[in-house]
Structure formats: structure tokens, C-alpha cells
Amino acid sequence: MLEGTLLRDVLDKIVDVASQRFGAEYAEVRAQKLRRTSVTLKEGHVEAAKQGIEKGAALRVLVEGAWGFASVGSFDTEVLTEAVSDACKMARGAMSKLKKPIKLTPTKTVEDTVVLKPQKDPSKIAVEEKISLALNVNNAAFASDRRVKSCTVNYLDLTGETHFVNTDGTFITQDKLYVWLGVGVTAKEQGAFAYSREAVGSTLGYEVFDLETPQKIGETVATRAVRQLEAKPPKGGTFPVILAPNVVGTLVHEAFGHLAEADLTLSGSIISDKLGKKVASTTVTFYDDGTVEGAFGSFRYDDEGVPAQKTLLVKDGVIVGLMHSRETAHQFDAEPTGNARAEDFRVEPIIRMRNTYIQPGDYSFDELVEDIRFGYYLKSFKGGQANLDGTFQVGVQEAYEIIEGEVREPVRDVSISGNTLETLLKVDAVGKEFELWPGICGKGQSAFVSDGGAHTRVKEVLVGGGA
Amino acid sequence: MEVLEEQHMLGLAEKAVDLALRTGADEAEAFLNQNLTRSVTIEIGQISKTARIIDRGMGVRAIVKKAIGFSYTNVLEDAAIEETVKSAVSFAKASKPDKDWNGLPAKKTPASIRGTYDSRIVDLHSEDLVKAASLMLDAAKNADKRAFPVEGGAGTGCMSAVIANSNGVAATDKGTVVECSLATIGREGGEVTPECVEFNFEREYSVDPEWVGREAARLAASALKAKRIEAGTMTVIFTQFALQQLLRYTLMMAVNADYVQRNQSALKNRIGEKIGSECVTVIDSGLLEGGIRTGKFDGEGVPQQNTMLIEKGVLRGFVYDNYTAGKEGKESTGNGSRAGYLSTPTVDATNFRFVNGRKSAEELVASLNRGLLVYSVQGAHTSNPVTCDFSVVAAPAWLVKDGEVAHAAKAAMLVGNIFEVLKNASDLADNTRKVGQLVAPWVAVENVKVIGK
């Protein structure tokens, strides 16, 4: 990689071209070098051990209120100059149709270098060790139960550095580090099939596997799959439910979080006219927090050079904040929240979540369950999706019946759905124990995030499943 | 950044293969692709962004004693390529042998295809896209005041791909795409509809942005005044969007040889069995004229082809790449799919085509006494990939009464199993279109369980 100061000279020159030659009111360059190692294992055989190196630059300019963006796989001054010129010309071409010019909220300029110091740097660990880690997960899953029939393990680490320069005078050099392991197993018995998956993710380092051991990951995912074989379908209808941190996290992320991404709020999401209003029961407080040490959605600066922060979205049931970029912050007359993230140099930053959760309350698990005569305990999520009108669906891979205040038989392929605002008003108790779970969120681009919180009771929600 | 010609890219690929063999690989393959994309983005009702992205790179597979290593780079300079090749070979050496490895594909003549490249698309500029997006927006606004454009845009892509391997495979392909799309929501008196999306996505230059805008607005307006519907079992007409979402995480995986061989498909050992109604015929159509996934060869250099999967309800076959085919002593069906230079090939369908029926879409709706017309579903990705059970929200959807669309239906849940859907498919319309990988008309399915309030 080019040395910091040398690169800075190049990048400074590029933003100067945009502002001086093309009259851009704002310009930024994000130059990245990324290194990825991944291993895929299927039933213990290595499909391929993979490694790649990417480098490239993203150039974004604002010319008379319109954005222009270009991405190239090069740090060459000439190539970057041509690309930034193109971006400026394109922006000027789009400007004619612009009704409301885009403006950015001013931010403090930053000069900083963020160096990560992992205990175990994944880029320094031999691929053989990563293969054997994946193999140990595989072996633990198969050893756990003879009904386990297939096991796919995906290991990924991503390391690298980002250099960010803009016309405001900000210059940030920031290390990037992600470690991820996902595993999926199928179990089979007399024509019955079950599937389960589990993931571990961290921004600390490879040391995450000292805590989340391959043995533990393999056993968890296998046990869950096997239990599903014995599970019965749920009754369809409206019931009280307890959502484990893993499931309530998905609900907070999908059903509320996306609606509170200011670009989607502006697009007319169901909460667009609810700012400052009560939308949930008073037990509900939501945060999107980019500062949780080691969490999968944490980082120091976003891709507009704004420091990550802990953003309060809902306080005691009232919407008090949104997630912003500099652009949406200006439209809402708010402060940017450090939520502008880009997957890599090929794409521009957009508003993304970080670590999103419901703040814990003071109920023990037993207290949450004891009042339920019939309902469901939804323990582990499969995925979820929501629409701007507030309709959500969350699929669950591990669930149990609750009868007379006790968690009983497993049920399979449950999903819940409803309207976000109606459902949040029905939250009546939140537990004590706090957990975050890693995930990969898709919004055109992928972003590493986490979500969670504490066990949450919902008085009633539509439960589907059990074909 | 200058654009690389296919022949130049092929030269780099062949050089990389040679170097890998000299560095100790028993077999080697190099895949290069280059994508030039232009786009304009609509946000919150106006055109706000224009972008141009050049992305290209090389991925190298090296095999040493049946162990596979892979490395990629987006820097196509000699030193970086050399480093990439060496890294692929050293990763193969570090990896573990796969006893089922049966070699890279043999050299074959690439397929003949049509309708996948149009030089008019190559010549389009940002200004042309701005104009198209602007026409689309105006058309939406004029169509209905209650419809609000949320997001969308217009774009073009010029793609080229080349592959070379140590068995003498050396092939090049190039293609184009052009698209415009608009997502709208309907808003009236506090009611907000689900997002309603319409688009054109074509390989040749034939898009109608005004139609896209009008249709997106019409859909959003007609999704207003939604009412809850009663729970029960009814006939559902799935449009292509809903069908694509449902099949992507179920049937398309169930016919994938990798899933079949690894006990992850409910279709294992069921070739020749009736798994759907008479009216269901599905062909993986790698050669479809103008198909989104049509190409001369797949991600491993095997010629693409058309493969019968379900014929009049009877399961006939699966899709294979070279590796899964080898495990069964078969030939690859040209389904070694590749997301680009960053990835190794994986088995995937190409154009997943349902043979259409005879009725028009209107006639299909008119044939229902009571049923649901479902445009889109939420949560399909949470389907059980093995059993193919699904539990999704239908939104937007409309209730059909006495052969006519009566009103929008509020967030009903559909619960079922994709094989039940195939068995209960009663009729297909003739309005075939391409949505993602799916090429299909509207499909009517009886006895779908709907959970409402």
C-alpha cells in the first residue's frame, strides 16, 4: 500500500480537482485496500481455501446540489483524476432535473489514525489453522447426533485499511477487521427434515473463537436441528409470545430500524409523521449503537468521516431520533449520527444500522413466562423482512410452546408477522440479560451489523407456520 | 481507466494458467470479468445521484493433489497477477484433498446464443439515463396523485467474461443490460401501502420508462383502501414477483445437485415421480434468447444448455456443475454459476422457466370465484430450504371476488409448502416475463392456507 503521507498527497490533489476545476461544493475520496480469506467446508471436505486482495477508490462529489459518484480499482493519480472529473460532469448533467438541491450538515473536521490491535490478527494466522477451526465445528456437529446429515461451514475474515479525505479537511486512516463463521446443518430421520444455522462474528479479532469455541458452535447448531425433528407445527393465530434477544433483535432491526433510517423515513415510511410521538409501550427503548466494543456492527468513523455514536431512537415508547447521514441530517435539521456506511470502494455510503437493540428492563425470565397460559417462546431467528408500511415478518428456527407459565414442547417453522407500531404497543415486559447477535444486513449493499437486547414479552402477535 | 478488450483479458487468463502450472499446480483455471456500469438513482421523488463504476479482476483456481486453492485480485498488472497465482497454488497446498474432485471441465465449443448484447446500450451516456429516469418519474406523478415514488433509477451494464483452463478451455463472452425501475407507495388519509415495484430489465435496448412509471403508480394507488380478509383456504394467483421470491429459497435449491447430493433436498431419489400438476413444466433455460442469465458458457467454461427439470408435473432432472456431475458420472448441465472474479463457481439455475398456459392474465382472474392475487411476499428467505415450507406475508395483494379484483388485502399470511403449491397449481396464464432468474407467467394455485385476523 502507498504510505499514508504519499497517499494523502494524491487524495488531496483529487479533491482539489473536483472543487477547483469543476466547482464541486463537496468532494471526498475513500481509498481502500482489503484482504479477504475464506474457507468453505461441506461435510468436512474443503471446497476451496480462498484469498483475495482488492484495492480501489470511491470518489463522491456534490456539484450544485447533485451527487456524482465514480469507483475505480486503482490508486493511480491519472485514473483518479479522470474518475473524479467524470463524477463532476455526471453530477452537473443530473442537476438540471433537481428540484431540491442536496446539502450537507457541517461536521467537525477530523484528522485521525485508527489502528486496531487484535490479540490474534486474522491476517497473520495461517490458513491451515482456519481450515482446522472449520473442521472442528463440522466434527462437533456430526459427533453431537447421528441424525445430522449435512454440515456447511463458512469462515471469513476481512482486514484492510481505509483512507478518507474530503474537501472539509478531514483525513482519516482506519483499520478494518471482521471475523465471521457461519454454520448450517440438516438433520434427517424417517423422512422428516430439519435445518438450523448459527453464526459468530466479531470486530475484535480471531480470539473470538477462544470464547465461542468450535465445539460449542457445532453442538448448538446440531442440537437445534435435531430438536426440530421432534417439533410439531404451531397453531396459527394470535398469541402472547416471549422473544429471545436474538429474535427481538431481528424485530427491532427489521420492523423498526429500517423505518428509522432517515432516507427511508423520508421516503414515507410509516414513522415519517411520528417523530416525537409515542409509538410503543413505555417499556420500549431502542438504541442503534456503533460504539459497543468488539460488536459486529461497531467502528470508529463512518464512511463520511463522522464518528460513530450511541444513537437513541425510541425512549420510553416515544420516537426521539433517527439514523442519519450528513445529507438527511440537513433535511431534518439534526446532527449526523455516523450511520453512513459503504460495503467497499465499489459503492457509495448509505444509511445503515450498526448494533441495534432494545434496552434491558428488570424482569427475570421466569417472571416473563409465568403469566402466560398459552403462548410461544421464540428462541432463535431465521430472518426477517419489513415493508415501509410497517408490515413485518420474522421467521424463527427454534421455538417452544408455553403452557401454564412453563416452556414446553418444541414447535417448528414458526413465523410472526404484524404491523410494527401495533406490535410495539403490545410489548409489556422486558428482561434483564443483554445479548447481541451478529448478522449481515442487505440494503442493496451488505453491512456487518448486530442486533439484540433482552427477552421481550409481547401480549399478542400473529403467529403463522406449520403448513 | 481504459476498457480491456476480451482478447486481451483472455491473454492474461492463459498466462495465469501457464504460470500456475509452472508454480506446481496439477490443474489451473483463470476467470476474468469486467463490468462497466452507469446508473442514475431516484431518491425521495427526485433524481439525486449519478454513478459510474468500473470493476474488473481475475480469480484463479489451482488444484494440487485434488486440493483446491483460490485467489483473486482486482489489480490486473503483472506483479499482482503473479502474486495471485502463487497464492492460489499455496492455498491449494495448505488445503485438504477432496477425493471426489474429478478435474476441471474439458474443452467444448461455447453455445450459440442470441439477444444478449446490444451496442446501443454501450453508447448510452449518463444524460440518456437521466432523461429516462425523469420520464419515468413524470409518468408516475401524472398517473396518480396518491402514489409517491420512493426509490428507483435507470442503469446500464456492459459485461465481459473470459475463461481459460489447463484442459484447453479458452472462451470469451460479452453482454449488455439496461434497466429502469420505480418503487412507489400509496398514501392517503394516514394509510400507507406496501412498496409497489415495477421495472424493465433487458439485455437489448428495449425499455419503456413511461410504462414503468405509470404501472408503479397504478399499483400503489390500487393498493390503497386495503381491508383485512378472513382466514381460510383459497385459490391464490401468484404474479412473477411473488413466485420468484418463493421459489428462490425453495424449489430452485431443491433441484440443485449440490443440495440433492448432500441430503438437503426433499427431491433426492425422486426422479420420475410426479411432484406437480400436469400444467407444471419447468426448464432451466441457459440458452433463452435475451435471458438475464443467458451466456455462451457458465462460470467454469462449460457451454450453457436447456435442461428439463419438471415435465408435466414429473421430476426429470437437476442442475449440475462439473464437480457435482462428476460425482454421479454425469455431464455438467452448464450450471456452474459465478458471481464474478471474487468467487468460485457454485451450482445455480440459469433462467428458471415455467412453460406458459393459454389464458390471458385477465381470463385467469376472471376464472376465480374468490381468491387472492399476490404481487409480492415478505419473508420468503426464511423458508425451510430442506422441507420447502414457507410462511410469508402477502403484500401487496388483492382479493378477487366473482372474477374481478375487489380490493387490496391487508397483510395476510400465506402458509404452505412449495411442493403442495406445485401439486395444486391449476392454471398458468400466457403473460410470461423475466423477474430475476425466473421466467414465468402468473400461476393460479388452489387450496393455499391464508392466515388473517
Side-chain angles (χ1 to χ4, degrees):
Chain A
M1 167 125 236
L2 288 163
E3 291 306 313
T5 46
L6 184 61
L7 184 66
R8 179 170 189 178
D9 286 347
V10 174
L11 302 186
D12 277 341
K13 209 175 284 172
I14 301 307
V15 295
D16 283 351
V17 169
S19 58
Q20 285 164 22
R21 207 182 299 166
F22 293 94
E25 57 259 34
Y26 175 81
E28 70 186 21
V29 190
R30 180 163 38 90
Q32 290 185 305
K33 188 162 187 182
L34 304 170
R35 181 190 167 99
R36 249 180 257 259
T37 304
S38 67
V39 175
T40 300
L41 229 71
K42 291 178 173 174
E43 286 81 67
H45 70 76
V46 185
E47 192 176 66
K50 313 177 198 180
Q51 185 179 85
I53 291 174
E54 296 156 55
K55 71 169 191 185
L59 307 113
R60 195 168 68 140
V61 299
L62 198 55
V63 182
E64 296 188 45
W67 284 118
F69 177 84
S71 165
V72 287
S74 171
F75 293 159
D76 181 79
T77 313
E78 219 169 289
V79 171
L80 293 181
T81 307
E82 185 208 333
V84 83
S85 309
D86 247 21
C88 291
K89 287 180 210 157
M90 289 190 304
R92 203 173 280 283
M95 189 194 73
S96 59
K97 300 285 179 187
L98 206 66
K99 275 163 297 177
K100 201 173 157 195
I102 290 158
K103 291 204 170 88
L104 306 182
T105 289
T107 52
K108 266 192 212 154
T109 60
V110 176
E111 290 219 24
D112 199 2
T113 301
V114 180
V115 180
L116 299 179
K117 292 191 178 110
Q119 279 175 35
K120 295 184 180 175
D121 184 345
S123 67
K124 297 204 168 70
I125 288 170
V127 69
E128 286 89 339
E129 192 175 332
K130 295 166 187 171
I131 291 173
S132 94
L133 172 87
L135 203 53
N136 289 340
V137 173
N138 173 82
N139 294 348
F142 278 103
S144 161
D145 198 289
R146 57 170 182 80
R147 290 169 288 182
V148 170
K149 297 295 176 201
S150 79
C151 177
T152 308
V153 187
N154 283 301
Y155 168 87
L156 167 75
D157 62 54
L158 173 66
T159 53
E161 46 189 35
T162 303
H163 301 269
F164 178 90
V165 172
N166 70 18
T167 38
D168 300 340
T170 287
F171 182 79
I172 299 166
T173 295
Q174 186 170 209
D175 282 355
K176 232 178 177 18
L177 188 160
Y178 293 96
V179 182
W180 164 266
L181 186 137
V183 53
V185 307
T186 56
K188 190 180 168 189
E189 187 175 41
Q190 290 167 354
F193 288 103
Y195 177 79
S196 155
R197 62 180 171 78
E198 183 77 1
V200 172
S202 173
T203 51
L204 281 182
Y206 198 78
E207 61 264 29
V208 64
F209 300 113
D210 296 340
L211 262 179
E212 303 292 334
T213 62
Q215 186 67 25
K216 188 170 141 192
I217 304 166
E219 277 173 11
T220 305
V221 70
T223 308
R224 186 185 299 134
V226 167
R227 207 170 280 159
Q228 289 280 306
L229 287 174
E230 295 141 18
K232 56 185 179 186
K235 300 179 193 176
T238 302
F239 300 102
V241 295
I242 310 259
L243 310 175
N246 179 307
V247 180
V248 75
T250 308
L251 184 78
V252 176
H253 175 106
E254 297 292 346
F256 184 83
H258 282 300
L259 307 181
E261 292 169 339
D263 53 339
L264 295 185
T265 312
L266 280 169
S267 296
S269 88
I270 192 84
I271 68 161
S272 58
D273 53 359
K274 305 277 190 310
L275 299 185
K277 292 189 181 148
K278 189 163 184 302
V279 296
S281 78
T282 50
T283 52
V284 172
T285 291
F286 291 157
Y287 284 99
D288 179 71
D289 185 350
T291 67
V292 184
E293 178 81 6
F296 209 44
S298 294
F299 47 83
R300 197 75 67 79
Y301 296 98
D302 77 357
D303 290 312
E304 291 186 324
V306 175
Q309 48 153 271
K310 180 174 174 177
T311 308
L312 186 56
L313 303 175
V314 173
K315 186 171 189 296
D316 305 329
V318 177
I319 300 185
V320 297
L322 298 173
M323 289 167 272
H324 286 294
S325 61
R326 290 182 64 180
E327 177 184 342
T328 63
H330 183 267
Q331 301 203 43
F332 280 90
D333 199 14
E335 287 300 310
T337 53
N339 283 87
R341 303 175 65 184
E343 181 178 352
D344 59 32
F345 58 86
R346 295 176 182 86
V347 286
E348 61 214 308
I350 55 175
I351 300 175
R352 306 305 301 263
M353 279 174 259
R354 300 163 302 199
N355 308 296
T356 318
Y357 53 84
I358 184 166
Q359 180 176 265
D362 49 16
Y363 281 74
S364 71
F365 184 74
D366 290 343
E367 286 167 342
L368 288 172
V369 179
E370 66 189 7
D371 297 334
I372 296 179
R373 292 179 61 191
F374 184 88
Y376 292 100
Y377 172 37
L378 310 182
K379 193 173 175 198
S380 177
F381 86 107
K382 248 192 303 202
Q385 199 178 347
N387 210 309
L388 289 178
D389 67 347
T391 312
F392 69 84
Q393 184 271 10
V394 173
V396 177
Q397 61 169 339
E398 182 178 4
Y400 301 86
E401 276 183 344
I402 300 173
I403 301 173
E404 304 300 341
E406 273 182 38
V407 176
R408 300 271 186 85
E409 307 281 296
V411 285
R412 65 176 160 88
D413 293 323
V414 177
S415 73
I416 55 169
S417 85
N419 180 282
T420 304
L421 303 184
E422 288 168 19
T423 306
L424 295 180
L425 283 169
K426 288 177 180 155
V427 170
D428 70 344
V430 183
K432 293 179 207 174
E433 309 293 332
F434 181 77
E435 285 173 15
L436 281 177
W437 293 79
I440 298 172
C441 170
K443 183 179 170 185
Q445 312 172 17
S446 293
F448 295 139
V449 298
S450 78
D451 51 50
H455 279 92
T456 299
R457 188 169 68 199
V458 185
K459 274 187 289 189
E460 55 170 24
V461 70
L462 187 61
V463 175
Chain B
M1 208 167 179
E2 89 288 14
V3 174
L4 298 182
E5 294 299 322
E6 287 84 32
Q7 284 307 318
H8 176 69
M9 289 164 66
L10 186 59
L12 295 177
E14 289 178 319
K15 237 163 79 178
V17 169
D18 281 348
L19 180 62
L21 296 178
R22 277 187 280 122
T23 315
D26 303 328
E27 296 177 80
E29 168 200 84
F31 174 89
L32 275 85
N33 72 320
Q34 173 174 260
N35 290 342
L36 315 172
T37 50
R38 284 187 181 280
S39 64
V40 308
T41 306
I42 294 168
E43 282 180 325
I44 319 158
Q46 70 170 354
I47 296 163
S48 58
K49 282 177 200 166
T50 49
R52 187 204 79 172
I53 297 164
I54 303 176
D55 187 25
R56 64 179 173 226
M58 172 191 285
V60 177
R61 270 202 291 180
I63 294 91
V64 178
K65 295 185 178 124
K66 293 197 166 204
I68 301 132
F70 174 78
S71 185
Y72 68 83
T73 180
N74 73 334
V75 183
L76 296 179
E77 292 157 9
D78 286 346
I81 291 174
E82 198 177 317
E83 195 186 329
T84 302
V85 168
K86 284 181 177 161
S87 152
V89 175
S90 76
F91 264 51
K93 286 177 178 164
S95 186
K96 296 193 184 310
D98 180 349
K99 63 174 173 37
D100 292 322
W101 178 254
N102 58 308
L104 289 167
K107 184 179 168 79
K108 281 188 183 166
T109 310
S112 297
I113 50 169
R114 296 202 306 184
T116 56
Y117 180 83
D118 189 340
S119 59
R120 288 174 297 175
I121 296 175
V122 182
D123 295 336
L124 287 178
H125 292 105
S126 293
E127 298 83 60
D128 304 308
L129 296 177
V130 169
K131 207 171 132 194
S134 160
L135 280 174
M136 185 167 67
L137 267 180
D138 291 345
K141 280 172 195 160
N142 295 333
D144 201 301
K145 284 195 184 66
R146 297 166 299 170
F148 291 82
V150 175
E151 57 181 348
T156 58
C158 303
M159 306 90 68
S160 44
V162 313
I163 188 161
N165 78 17
S166 48
N167 291 335
V169 166
T172 70
D173 195 5
K174 64 176 176 179
T176 49
V177 293
V178 59
E179 56 108 8
C180 57
S181 68
L182 193 64
T184 56
I185 54 173
R187 288 192 84 127
E188 190 179 34
E191 186 186 1
V192 180
T193 70
E195 251 184 18
C196 297
V197 183
E198 192 46 89
F199 71 87
N200 280 160
F201 192 107
E202 297 295 336
R203 303 294 299 266
E204 293 185 305
Y205 191 32
S206 61
V207 289
D208 186 348
E210 290 181 279
W211 176 84
V212 170
R214 269 198 313 273
E215 274 301 294
R218 189 191 62 77
L219 269 178
S222 68
L224 283 164
K225 298 193 172 67
K227 295 178 195 160
R228 292 206 183 275
I229 59 163
E230 276 173 49
T233 298
M234 63 182 81
T235 299
V236 169
I237 296 175
F238 290 103
T239 72
Q240 294 90 349
F241 290 90
L243 203 59
Q244 191 270 340
Q245 292 160 331
L246 275 180
L247 297 177
R248 182 75 199 105
Y249 301 96
T250 54
L251 186 61
M252 287 190 203
M253 292 162 96
V255 298
N256 177 322
D258 185 50
Y259 286 81
V260 175
Q261 291 171 356
R262 300 179 54 228
N263 289 300
Q264 295 181 338
S265 166
L267 295 180
K268 186 170 183 165
N269 298 325
R270 293 182 64 192
I271 295 276
E273 267 183 47
K274 200 157 166 58
I275 62 160
S277 79
E278 283 284 321
C279 63
V280 176
T281 293
V282 181
I283 302 163
D284 182 68
S285 305
L287 304 178
L288 181 75
E289 181 170 354
I292 289 164
R293 295 223 179 172
T294 300
K296 288 181 183 169
F297 50 85
D298 71 358
E300 311 185 279
V302 174
Q304 290 200 178
Q305 64 175 57
N306 295 334
T307 306
M308 181 63 77
L309 301 176
I310 302 171
E311 186 179 17
K312 293 185 176 170
V314 178
L315 180 65
R316 292 294 183 207
F318 303 123
V319 295
Y320 293 87
D321 66 357
N322 195 60
Y323 174 78
T324 51
K327 273 185 169 177
E328 296 181 27
K330 290 188 162 128
E331 292 283 309
S332 165
T333 53
N335 289 88
S337 167
R338 208 145 181 162
Y341 62 88
L342 293 92
S343 75
T344 49
T346 52
V347 185
D348 197 5
T350 57
N351 303 298
F352 202 76
R353 185 168 75 88
F354 277 65
V355 172
N356 60 274
R358 298 231 168 103
K359 282 190 186 129
S360 68
E362 293 74 24
E363 284 167 340
L364 197 64
V365 172
S367 69
L368 289 195
N369 282 327
R370 188 166 183 279
L372 208 56
L373 173 64
V374 177
Y375 254 74
S376 182
V377 299
Q378 264 173 257
H381 65 298
T382 69
S383 303
N384 185 317
V386 184
T387 61
C388 296
D389 287 336
F390 60 81
S391 170
V392 296
V393 176
W398 287 265
L399 188 74
V400 176
K401 258 199 251 175
D402 303 324
E404 282 181 18
V405 174
H407 59 79
K410 214 174 210 175
M413 279 187 103
L414 306 181
V415 174
N417 175 282
I418 211 69
F419 301 112
E420 293 299 316
V421 166
L422 293 180
K423 278 186 190 145
N424 293 330
S426 55
D427 211 346
L428 284 79
D430 64 357
N431 58 342
T432 293
R433 70 178 286 191
K434 299 171 276 195
V435 173
Q437 280 169 284
L438 183 74
V439 181
W442 289 9
V443 178
V445 180
E446 292 171 351
N447 294 316
V448 178
K449 191 169 161 190
V450 179
I451 300 179
K453 257 225 162 145

